[in-house]
Amino acid sequence: MSVEFLVNALAAGLLIGCFYAAVTIGISISFGFLDIANISHPAFVIAGSYAAYLLNQGAGIDPLLSGLLLTIPFFLLGCLFYDIYFHAFEQHGREGLSGLAFFFGLMFIIEVVLIMIFGVDFRYVEAGYLNSTWRLGFLDLPLRLLIPSLVAVLLFVALQLFLSTTFQGRAIIAVSQDPSALSLLSIRPRRIKRLAFGLSVASAGLAGALLIMIQPVEPSIGREYIGRVFAICVLGGMGSLPGTLIAALLLGVIESLTSSYYGPAWAPAVSFTFLLATLTLRPRGLLGR
Amino acid sequence: MPLFSLLALIVAAALFAAFLAIGNEYLFFAGYVVVQYVVIATAWNILGGYCGYVNFGTGAFFAVGAYATVALHKLPNYSENNFPPVVAEMIAAIFPLPIPILILVGGLLSGIIGLLMGYLTLRLRGVFFAIATLALAVVLQTLVVNWDYVGGSRGATILRPQTTSLFGMDYIHYLFGLMLLLAAIGIIIARGIERSTFGYGLASIRDDELAAEAAGVPTLRLKLACTAISGALMGMAGAPFPYYVGYVEPNSTFSLIYAVNAIAMPMVGGTAGWLGPLLGSLTLGTLQQIASVTISSEASLLLIGVILVAFVVLAPRGMLGWFDRLRPRRRGMVAAGGGH
Amino acid sequence: MTAFLEIDAITKKFGGFTALDNITISVGRGERVGLIGPNGSGKSTVVNCLSGVFTPELGAIRFRDQDLRGLRAFERTRLGIARSFQLPKPFRSLTVAENVRVPLLYAGRGRSKAIDERCYDLLTRVALHDKADWLPGALTQVELRKLELIRAVATEPELLLADEAMAGLSGSEVAEIVAFLRQLSDDGVTIIMIEHIMSAVMSFSNRLVVLVSGKKVADGDPQMVVKDPIVESAYLGQ
């Protein structure tokens, strides 16, 4: 096909990749730093989407604003769930089977509750600017994709800065490497982990609001994202945020090209195949941790 | 062990006779689903409870069995139009295949898929294995959705005969009986594994894989065998499904409900031994049937999710754990206990 | 004829960090080798390379003239190389007896008696036979160490790697373990003891190897090695 087509597909891929990075960063924190395999993270994202939908439909609030507002209740939710997780599992060293089952159950509950409340129809938000498209020569950049992607990058950079410059941020990185050293500095590892997990879920809330700006959502979309976020996390190197961004962009582009040239029916398979391939061929850092 | 096998088969036969005597048609339909879950839960637990590896992709293995049946069901028709006459005649002679053969085929295919998946992913930490199973399920589903021969996303209709050649029994009764037999076999296999050298090997892998290797346990080999057996049983449970339901389409066949139930039932019942998945599937299966009839099918799904999370947090050893309180120390049985 | 165990110029790196730098050690059959060195000097890495958990980038390991490269951990166990772990790793959901059963089932060679009998015999050797039905969670530290060791012994090894089997134990407990190891040695098992407790090392070993920062700095008669000024300053002085 034409160069125009290719370039547009690439651009769309890069933009959606930015968004994927924003979704994944929560997992990078919870899984990369805290070693908590929170597979319900995408379900929280979808919950965020629906929350933004309600705010938009009910009170006419702009989805971007909703996203920012939602970070607070989602942060608190994250803290709550970390406490449950800690008391039920981490405390007793039973994170393996039970931890996975816990988050799987949680993911399922969220999805079913959303179906019960909203049904399986697609929901979307309305905001004036979302319908425009910015044209650069032959490059079509729809704002509904461009703006969330830019915000996603901002979120990403903000979290990166938080982790590398602030005291709490560096404590989070430290706790992933040596929790006992942290307690020697009279910082309780549990508090730091709770903070980190709260941030992780808060980012999910914001990402959800961005998602519903990009595309209409329905409850089961979260499942597609499980493969994407873990594929990105693994490929990018766990806990390496720059790696996560690159991997996210890569995945976004490959998906976009596949979708453009072969049709969208194959899209879910791309990320999951990616994941399988990564796990099989490049499992460095995953063996025997 | 032979005694147990005999007992299991007798119980299955007795249940079958009882259902026939009661004669309520709805019971057969509901019973089929519950017994199907006994097989699935038992199968899941062999890999999950005994070996410690969580499989989120149960739906995929189940669907492989179901779609194998669909593919074989459509073969005579397809071969008539596309294969050389000689081949088409041969196929017409042996088809349609009897259900027990389909079960074996479904089981074989699922077992092979389990083996392949295991080979790709079993070197990884448990968490990544679990995610990989989810990935596999999505990939398989996408493949099936795009495969027009079995109907793709439109689905396929499978007409079941009204009666079978066996005593002129009603087909649904026949399917139910087969599923009972499969459940008995699954439980016999599970119990057999528990008490064997293989079972001890799996338990050691579950408790500490590194130490197991150091003790001479060929961990990869055992894990692969485990995945194959578990997957095969799930595939066998799925093989008769098209005849039961009449219409097979990817979304419901690959549905996450299988994955959730496959995890919830053993974890609620208890992962320590064969009795746990049985208890869990009987209770949760029946509860779901009741809830979807009296409230709604979404409500029954929600119920399962909530019960799963509640048990995982509050009663990690499941129902078997309640009985465990009566026996403080474990003897003989290879038990999973509340250790993970 | 090569030695019973040949560690031939192995180098092991983790990313940019060199854990083992050109280590060569020859161990004769029946020797009682003490492997000492400061924390992080690479002792456990040697054990992990020998047992197959890690693969060295350079060099080779030969056991009874057989190159171990490519052999997985369980295969090495079946060849006759057993190891115990620094932090005991019992099978927590299995009883003490079942913990010993696993290696008997999977690595026991030349079985002459029934598994149960041999299991009981082994447990008696470490005085754990009356706790056969117990779960590891109920055992004391020294009992866990003994379980760890007897599990390794159950594989009928010709070479035993005892990785800090005595850390944190009291004086009499240390003596207990040393006596047990000495008995094993008398039965013909070659033992490499990785340890920090110098009294144990000196009373047990007939050869001492010292590692510092991944390099071998001394290798020989224990009495001579401890007087070596390099060893004194690098390790014993701490």
Side-chain angles (χ1 to χ4, degrees), chain C residues 170-222:
Chain C
S170 72
S172 59
E173 290 166 343
V174 168
E176 233 185 295
I177 304 282
V178 172
F180 176 74
L181 289 174
R182 200 176 280 131
Q183 202 181 57
L184 273 183
S185 173
D186 290 340
D187 289 340
V189 181
T190 309
I191 300 182
I192 299 180
M193 172 199 275
I194 291 97
E195 203 46 75
H196 277 299
I197 304 174
M198 285 313 291
S199 59
V201 175
M202 294 309 288
S203 69
F204 176 79
S205 327
N206 53 25
R207 179 155 153 224
L208 205 54
V209 175
V210 185
L211 291 183
V212 176
S213 300
K215 293 188 177 53
K216 187 172 84 165
V217 301
D219 182 353
D221 178 80

Side-chain angles (χ1 to χ4, degrees), chain B residues 43-85:
Chain B
W44 187 92
N45 200 43
I46 291 175
L47 184 60
Y50 297 174
C51 193
Y53 276 79
V54 176
N55 179 0
F56 283 142
T58 306
F61 291 99
F62 180 81
V64 166
Y67 271 98
T69 299
V70 171
L72 289 172
H73 180 90
K74 295 192 164 228
L75 195 57
N77 217 356
Y78 183 80
S79 70
E80 244 176 59
N81 301 326
N82 295 295
F83 291 173

